[in-house]
């Protein structure tokens, strides 16, 4: 089936957390419309940019864009931005079922609210390996009251001004800043939100359920910064899907969700049916200054405005990393899932450090902070345009003496826009190595997201990766397939993927301010096999020149 959409991206007034602000949304909706499709469908989105003074692109997170790498929606990597009043058609196939989302991938436009859900269902007649009676979709995000322009200028200033913690957490675009659903249980001075009030934009979306049924919750995190923990009062969750891949089902009381990840969980409504229950999200991994995001699991026929009789679930302490690791280590592929090749042709190491470049705070990989070029790589590589980017390959390793437990001895880094090029269909390992930040004794969480592929997560470890010992411990039996994997403080994460998707693909920290500060790399494979790139993606930089002179190499 072909599904056609006509979208306009624009700014408009909206109150995501009951405080009026401007949001970036689609067709006047925030979050943007949910796309529901079936495996095998073609999606065409005719996107018109109604932002008066900004370009825009949209990335389809979790979709591999096999055969359509120019539709990946990454500014400077796969396409020129869509200018104000221009229209671009994203056209791609969805070839795998799963819970996905889409979001802006230019500057900090995701933080401005440019995101929505993208759900791919199985083909008609095919069955999931689990049963459920109904489903809900929870798209999680975090929200700042400052404009993205102010946030961005802060990151690019001397002295540096960090974005700080968000004002609110949003569930399906709704949060409450000036009232609390759980006011009765907190010592803040906020009043209780009135769920009986007429339509308001920040009114929590209540989940109406029937007792003694099983529901699938599709959960995805589009947060700009926050790692989240989700829990449902009195209910266990059975995790069955991660990033569009089936996992060995396991039950938990609460789950961590990092930016860029998605999950499906099953819940059974087998609790006291005269009550309603909390659904809560809270901040993990950074000292939280943001109240929990809340909504209600409403057992019908109870009134939706009947609040639970006990306090919301307590989010595990922000720095209880053992709790987070224990959750991550439970995620294993469902039996029968594709297994990784038993060895890799190439293994690259990426040391994640916070550095200085000309006095500006940046994030670097092997001491190189990503500065995107003005000509998108897909066109410049395919057409061999010299001078469009550094054609020297970036470093694949870092100094073996580097002390990851301490601030960098030499904090200065370089900027670059080089590309790691992989032989088509070769197997690649990436070892993401975490380290201490610029000053103080801190190491942060970074969820790394790969475009164009799923990868196997072969393992997580503490301290510095030791090739002799740690490779032996890789899980080659049932590693989960994902498109996003977290690195824990002072630890490493090993991933493996097959570079079988001709194109140019971003691999980056999904924390938006971190990517903006250079925390990403670019992978290319088989670009010579990429089909005819639509001219509309090439109308900037050196490829624009190429189009106007008509000198197609
Ligand atoms: O990139 C970051 O910068 C700040 C801090 O390290 C410097 O102010 C922070 O918490 C980040 O995640």
């Amino acid at each position: 089936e072909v599904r056609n959409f006509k979208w306009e991206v624009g700014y408009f007034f909206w109150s995501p957390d009951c405080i009026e602000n401007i949001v970036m949304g689609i067709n006047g909706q925030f979050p943007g419309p949910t796309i529901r499709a079936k495996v095998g469908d073609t999606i065409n989105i005719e996107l018109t940019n109604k932002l008066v003074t900004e370009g825009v692109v949209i990335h389809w997170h979790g979709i591999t864009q096999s055969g359509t790498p120019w539709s990946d929606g990454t500014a400077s990597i796969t396409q020129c931005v869509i200018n104000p009043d221009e229209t671009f058609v994203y056209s791609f196939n969805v070839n795998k079922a799963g819970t996905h989302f889409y979001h802006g991938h230019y500057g900090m436009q995701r933080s401005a609210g440019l995101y929505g859900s993208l759900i791919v269902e199985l083909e008609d007649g095919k069955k999931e390996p689990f049963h459920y009676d109904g489903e809900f979709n929870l798209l999680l995000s975090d929200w700042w009251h400052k404009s993205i322009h102010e946030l961005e200028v802060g990151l690019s200033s001397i002295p540096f001004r960090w974005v700080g913690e968000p004002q609110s957490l949003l569930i399906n675009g709704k949060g409450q800043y000036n009232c609390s659903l759980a006011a009765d249980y907190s010592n803040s001075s906020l009043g209780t939100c009135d769920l009986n009030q007429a339509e308001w934009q920040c009114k929590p979306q209540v989940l109406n359920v029937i007792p003694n049924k099983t529901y699938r919750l599709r959960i995805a995190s589009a947060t700009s910064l926050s790692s989240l923990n989700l829990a449902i009062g009195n209910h266990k969750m059975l995790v069955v899907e991660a990033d569009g891949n089936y996992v060995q089902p396991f039950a938990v009381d609460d789950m961590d969700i990092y930016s860029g990840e998605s999950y499906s969980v099953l819940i059974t409504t087998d609790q006291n049916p005269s009550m309603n229950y909390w659904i809560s999200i809270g901040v993990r991994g950074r000292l939280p200054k943001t109240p929990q995001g809340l909504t209600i699991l409403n057992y019908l026929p109870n009134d939706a405005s009947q609040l639970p009789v006990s306090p919301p679930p307590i989010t595990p302490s922000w720095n209880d990393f053992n709790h987070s690791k224990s959750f991550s280590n439970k995620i294993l592929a469902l039996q029968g899932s594709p297994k990784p090749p038993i060895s890799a042709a190439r293994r690259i190491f990426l040391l994640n450090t916070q550095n200085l470049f000309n006095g500006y705070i940046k994030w670097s990989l092997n001491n190189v902070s990503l500065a995107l070029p003005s000509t998108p790589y897909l066109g410049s590589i395919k057409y061999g345009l010299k001078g469009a980017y550094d054609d020297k390959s970036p470093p694949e390793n870092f100094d073996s003496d580097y002390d990851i437990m301490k601030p960098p001895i030499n904090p200065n880094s370089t900027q670059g826009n080089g590309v790691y090029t992989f032989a088509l269909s070769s197997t690649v390992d990436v070892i993401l190595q975490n380290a201490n930040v610029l000053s103080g004794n801190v190491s942060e969480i970074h969820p790394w997201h790969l475009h164009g592929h799923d990868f196997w997560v072969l393992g997580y470890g503490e301290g510095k990766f030791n090739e002799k010992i740690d490779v032996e411990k890789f899980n080659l039996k049932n590693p989960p397939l994902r498109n996003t994997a977290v690195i824990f403080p002072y630890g490493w994460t090993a991933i493996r993927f097959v570079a079988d998707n001709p194109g140019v693909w971003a691999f980056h920290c999904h924390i938006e301010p971190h990517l903006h500060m250079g925390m990403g790399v670019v992978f290319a494979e088989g670009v010579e096999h990429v089909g005819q790139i639509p001219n509309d993606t090439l109308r900037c930089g050196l490829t624009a020149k190429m189009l106007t002179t008509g000198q197609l190499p």
Side-chain angles (χ1 to χ4, degrees), residues 115-270:
Y115 44 78
S117 295
L118 198 179
I119 291 164
V120 183
E121 296 170 355
L122 288 175
E123 302 94 313
D124 287 331
K126 282 219 174 169
K127 280 217 171 93
E128 306 276 4
F130 42 82
H131 160 85
Y132 52 97
D133 303 299
E135 72 170 71
F136 295 96
N137 182 35
L138 303 177
L139 181 60
L140 313 179
S141 59
D142 46 8
W143 182 248
W144 278 256
H145 289 165
K146 280 185 183 167
S147 74
I148 57 162
H149 307 290
E150 187 169 352
L151 298 175
E152 192 283 323
V153 172
L155 298 174
S156 318
S157 293
I158 300 176
F160 178 73
R161 299 191 207 187
W162 175 239
V163 299
E165 295 303 310
Q167 274 62 62
S168 301
L169 300 179
L170 311 180
I171 302 174
N172 290 341
K174 292 153 196 295
Q176 298 79 38
Y177 182 76
N178 54 5
C179 65
S180 168
L181 288 175
D184 289 356
Y185 304 105
S186 84
N187 40 23
S188 93
S189 53
L190 292 179
T192 306
C193 305
D194 179 4
L195 277 165
N196 286 319
Q197 214 173 306
E199 273 312 300
W200 24 301
Q201 288 166 346
C202 58
K203 183 171 177 157
Q205 189 192 323
V206 167
L207 275 55
N208 306 115
V209 294
I210 297 167
N212 295 310
K213 300 271 179 206
T214 299
Y215 291 90
R216 175 182 192 166
L217 306 188
R218 295 178 178 270
I219 306 161
S221 175
T223 57
S224 176
L225 173 67
S226 310
S227 304
L228 300 174
N229 182 272
L230 181 141
I232 305 176
N234 291 49
H235 292 72
K236 286 227 182 269
M237 299 179 281
L238 188 71
V239 182
V240 293
E241 178 213 343
D243 300 353
N245 295 289
Y246 295 127
V247 301
Q248 198 70 56
F250 63 98
V252 288
D253 292 312
D254 64 86
M255 61 189 297
D256 286 328
I257 306 168
Y258 303 97
S259 179
E261 292 188 330
S262 66
Y263 291 96
S264 283
V265 300
L266 302 181
I267 60 166
T268 302
T269 48
D270 55 3

Side-chain angles (χ1 to χ4, degrees), residues 368-371 373 377 381 385-394 414-421:
V368 182
S369 181
L370 180 64
Y377 295 99
I381 296 177
L385 303 180
K386 290 275 169 252
Y389 64 96
D390 307 342
D391 46 18
K392 199 167 138 276
S393 186
T414 55
Q415 270 191 328
N417 55 25
V419 175
Y420 295 91
T421 307

Side-chain angles (χ1 to χ4, degrees), residues 61 243 258-261 348-353 363-366 368 370 420 430-435 444-451 453 455 457 460 482-488 491-493 495 505-511 514-515 518-523:
H61 186 115
D243 300 353
Y258 303 97
S259 179
E261 292 188 330
I348 65 174
F349 300 83
L350 296 175
L351 175 68
N352 291 231
T353 53
W363 288 91
S364 302
L365 291 312
N366 300 341
V368 182
L370 180 64
Y420 295 91
V430 182
I431 314 296
L432 290 158
Q433 177 67 60
N434 211 341
E444 298 184 352
I445 276 193
H446 302 285
W448 276 80
H449 172 61
L450 177 60
H451 291 230
H453 311 75
F455 52 73
V457 184
Y460 305 90
R482 310 276 324 235
N483 60 51
T484 304
V486 68
I487 58 172
F488 292 110
W492 55 262
T493 298
I495 68 163
W505 309 107
F507 180 48
H508 62 91
C509 175
H510 209 261
I511 292 177
H514 287 179
L515 171 59
M519 200 166 200
V521 293
V522 177
F523 291 163

